[in-house]
Amino acid sequence: MSGLDPYVWSNLVTVALVVGGLALARFVRGQRLWREASVELWRRRRVAIVVVGVYLVIALLDSIAWKGGVPEGTVGVLPNAPLTVVDRLFLDTKEASYSAPLADVEFYGGRPLRRPGTHLLGTDILGRDVLYMSLKGARVALLIGGLTSLIAIPIALFFGVGAGYFGGRFDDFVFFLISTLASMPGILLLIALIMVMGRGTLSVCVALAVTGWVGFCRLSRAETLKLRELDYVVAARALGVSEPRIIWRHVLPNLAHLIVITFVLMFSGLVLSEAVLSWLGIGVDGSWGQMIDGARDELSREPIVWWNIGAAGTALFGLILAVNAVGDAVRDVLDPRTLRAGE
Amino acid sequence: MSDANESILRVEGLRTWYPIRRGLLRRVVGHVQAATDVSFEIAPGRTLALVGESGCGKSTVGRSILCLENPQEGRVEFEGRDLLSLDATSLRAARQRLQIVFQDPMASLDPRMRIRDQIAEGMHSFGIGADEAERTARVAELLERVQLDPRTMDRYPNEFSGGQRQRICIARALAVEPRLIVCDESVSALDVSIQAQILNLLRRLQEELGLSYLFITHDLSVVRYLAHEVAVMYLGRIVERGPTERLFAHPAHPYTRALLAAIPSIDPARRGEAPPVLGDVPSPSRPPPGCHFHTRCPVAMERCRREAPPMFAIEGGESRCFLSEAPGRAD
Amino acid sequence: MSALLEVRDLRTVFPGEGGPTPVVDGVSFDLDRGEVLALVGESGSGKSMTAFSILRLVPKPGRVVAGSVRLGGEDLLGLSVTAMRRVRGRRISMIFQEPMTCLNPVVRVGEQVVEAIRLHEDVSRADARDRTRALFAEVGIPDPEARLDAYPHQLSGGLKQRVMIAMALSTRPEMLIADEPTTALDVTVQAQILTLLRELQQSRGTAILLITHDLGIVNELADRVAVMYAGRLVEIAPRVPLLTEPLHPYTQGLLRSMPARGRPGEPLPEIPGVVPRASEWPRGCRFSTRCPVRFEPCAETYPAESHPAAGRRVFCHDVERRLPSEGAR
């Protein structure tokens, strides 16, 4: 950890994610059921998938960073700082203060801008390009949604499937855990956790995961209870298949559609939660939530500084809408009832 | 009665009750008396039909034999060993020779698994077949045996009809070379024309492989065709047992008679006969005292309300009815 | 004398991948007043869809695309939605297979019947309750007064089906559609319900369209039988001749493959193969893929209707061939 710069880690993780994504795609191609589902998904929600894809590409471009290649004395860049592709696209765009979209002069005072007419969405109070900030928010949003889900879903599955399948003491324990967590006000728990762990992307993700796994845990427990009694699981037991193998081969694949659907639905909920956290001042740096929070006061100015909040809101809204649209279709496509429709 | 050494399965005094728990402390407030004092045996290559209406406990008996339930009492002797006293490892080994085919061909196959993998699953767990190629060859052979095209092995269950799925389930059970197959309502969900195909298949497999069947069903007309022996259950107890022909020709227990008379006949001359018994089957959590059948029995006596009849030996079987006690009253 | 219900060339389709797939394809039959007609077939034969088409209750996205359904001379397919709603329940009632799922679990059963009566007739609550009590007695529910206030879960399956029957009869319909009314019940209970249906039918003179897969139930209840296979009618005949001397090879096969007719120790005569899916239906006779007596025209042209005897209709080239005297049609 300490030996490497954070940006190297970020690069490694990005590569790992891309490789993992490709491996997943390969797997999906190999399994006819999943392949057919994804083709159907593409048929139904082409636009939304493309939109999500654009966000993904932006986030990936913002995740690969390297040092150097920047002329000395560029405004707003620390010497020897690692810069991502997105950073490099917006090098040397920093202004002194607010400017309206495509304006030539500053919003207050009317001094001429360094780069007049180039800020498509204007600049914010610190003179940062709003388009640049909005693009950088994509990575944060996907990180919050993705990382949190990756922490929460395995926890939920472990407890939910275990409790549902084995029952007994473990079930009692899990049920106690769920009831305890569910009886605490979520937002207070969130704040407390972030206070304890300190601010930062990882701790926000962990805190969101700790408060967010309960719902899916309950769902997977109930579903496992049902699956456990199904004839093909009983038949597998009669065939001498071991319990871990039954879970791996019969229970988890039949929960897969739930996992995918939960992931998609959880994702948009998490991105929105982060916006709430930002509003409370404990969000993640560089998120759309923070942009919205920062623009709060600007709405009372005369004339209104609208482009900042407008850009962040639109970016957030676009992602949530696209993800929800895909999620909706995922639910229809993966519904096990459609598997039996072949009759 | 066949000799003890001859039977492949011998069930003695089996009792499986499910506790009913209520309240905060989950106290046991009663039991669903699913199966009580169930005894029977099956000889190799023979079929015993376990017949009864819903709630009579016939499926519980089937599942108890496979140790999918935990019976409180009794012995389940399979090939001379008591399954209920075995540890997990020996039980797993014993299960290889004891398989089950379910009623609902939609629920008994994993919708997300190719059928070749499902058929091969049991081979994996018992180490049948040296390598993938050998197992694939065996899957093909099994599919042919149940009259399905081996080329369809890469398909998923939803591409098959109900009857075909039931054949796949049979192939899956056969994959581990069982000696006894428990057929739990295996043909009840099928259409008549398909049902005949599966019944014929089961019978042919029995002749070819010397299989034994425990055939659990509510449909007596199917029993007559397939079973060598019949045990009729009512509210958790076997009320009559005997060779099929005798049981159909001369049913001894009033419930067996009622069950036989209740089957709607396809003989146009027989129509409009009065229903043999009235009312519904009582709940197995609160069975009536005395003989369980006395509330619906057309020939119930005072004694039946107080005393539970034991099994009486009759000509060609046993009957749990006081009327079978005296010799000569067997009909 | 005109029939109570006249169904002509009924055709119901569902959208499929290769265009609309028919589930009911050119079905015609009559139901006389006070008559019990059984619609028999295996799953996928279209027997239930025929009933739903008559009531215009075909689940979406299916729809009736052709034909006519006349009830007492009035074409039901042309009625407005509100007029159709008045027909359902008041003139035609339905009994379903699963009494458990057709009763609202949180409403007392008496109340449910009272509501059904008051929905169609302008009667006071007390009158409707009196009628419900009388109906409960009529359908053989013991202690009807107490059962009025029972919830569905407090009743056994047989009693629930009796409540369903009481509800269906509560508006004194001219016609009852019974869709597998005893399939979910135990044999000994089934026998009681069949007896009840027969007695009610005789005392009230209600016409019944009985949908079933079980020829034993047909024998118990029906006056006439219509056998369906793959969306088409194959044979219509009065009960006794149908069961004793069926003419269509499918009906023959169905009767022969019943285990009750089988001889112990001999293989059951089976109908080989499976019912083809709608997308794989042959151009000619639907049964030609499994028929033991098929010959040249069978796979190519659908057989015309032949009338081998009074009241009998058969769709089979083989029967046609053996009836040369009758002439065309």
Side-chain angles (χ1 to χ4, degrees), chain A residues 50-338:
Chain A
V50 169
V51 171
V52 174
V54 169
Y55 277 96
L56 264 174
V57 169
I58 295 171
L60 281 179
L61 291 181
D62 195 27
S63 303
I64 301 292
W66 66 94
K67 290 180 181 175
V70 183
E72 269 314 300
T74 309
V75 178
V77 179
L78 295 172
N80 209 23
L83 294 178
T84 68
V85 179
V86 174
D87 292 334
R88 283 161 202 272
L89 285 176
F90 287 87
L91 268 184
D92 201 24
T93 55
K94 195 156 176 340
E95 303 289 346
S97 173
Y98 280 125
S99 69
L102 294 173
D104 295 333
V105 291
E106 271 179 31
F107 194 64
Y108 297 111
R111 266 167 296 169
L113 295 178
R114 288 178 51 236
R115 315 278 301 259
T118 55
H119 302 293
L120 199 60
L121 297 176
T123 56
D124 69 357
I125 192 166
L126 298 174
R128 292 175 296 190
D129 187 281
V130 170
L131 178 62
Y132 169 56
M133 298 293 290
S134 304
L135 292 183
K136 284 203 74 94
R139 174 174 179 262
V140 178
L142 291 175
L143 199 62
I144 291 165
L147 187 61
T148 310
S149 303
L150 284 183
I151 301 174
I153 289 177
I155 299 178
L157 270 182
F158 174 78
F159 284 118
V161 172
Y165 194 83
F166 295 108
R169 295 262 149 138
F170 189 65
D171 190 23
D172 291 344
F173 166 72
V174 171
F175 215 79
F176 169 75
L177 210 63
I178 290 176
S179 318
T180 314
L181 271 175
S183 60
M184 287 184 219
I187 193 82
L188 290 186
L189 186 63
L190 256 179
I191 295 170
L193 282 169
I194 294 172
M195 293 302 175
V196 170
M197 289 186 291
R199 285 186 55 193
T201 315
L202 193 64
S203 60
V204 168
C205 287
V206 169
L208 282 171
V210 167
T211 51
W213 64 275
V214 174
F216 183 52
C217 179
R218 229 184 241 149
L219 189 68
S220 55
R221 175 180 172 271
E223 194 65 20
T224 308
L225 272 177
K226 203 172 75 194
L227 286 174
R228 186 180 67 169
E229 297 304 320
L230 276 187
D231 288 345
Y232 60 80
V233 174
V234 178
R237 218 170 290 154
L239 283 168
V241 183
S242 65
E243 305 289 350
R245 198 178 153 88
I246 290 179
I247 292 179
W248 183 247
R249 299 262 290 181
H250 292 293
V251 177
L252 285 181
N254 284 291
L255 286 176
H257 67 285
L258 279 185
I259 299 173
V260 174
I261 294 163
T262 310
F263 174 78
V264 173
L265 294 182
M266 205 171 175
F267 183 91
S268 47
L270 289 168
V271 176
L272 288 175
S273 309
E274 194 280 335
V276 175
L277 289 180
S278 290
W279 196 79
L280 292 171
I282 47 175
V284 179
D285 285 334
S287 72
W288 292 321
Q290 281 205 336
M291 284 175 75
I292 294 172
D293 180 48
R296 238 193 307 168
D297 303 331
E298 296 165 357
L299 289 177
S300 58
R301 291 176 199 271
E302 187 57 44
I304 292 177
V305 176
W306 52 267
W307 50 89
N308 207 353
I309 196 164
T314 309
L316 184 67
F317 181 70
L319 178 65
I320 303 286
L321 193 68
V323 167
N324 280 352
V326 175
D328 222 41
V330 165
R331 197 195 332 230
D332 291 346
V333 167
L334 293 183
D335 190 323
R337 269 169 300 179
T338 58

Side-chain angles (χ1 to χ4, degrees), chain C residues 118-130:
Chain C
R118 281 166 55 89
L119 193 66
H120 291 284
E121 282 173 61
D122 187 21
V123 291
S124 74
R125 185 162 285 279
D127 288 349
R129 197 175 157 92
D130 287 341

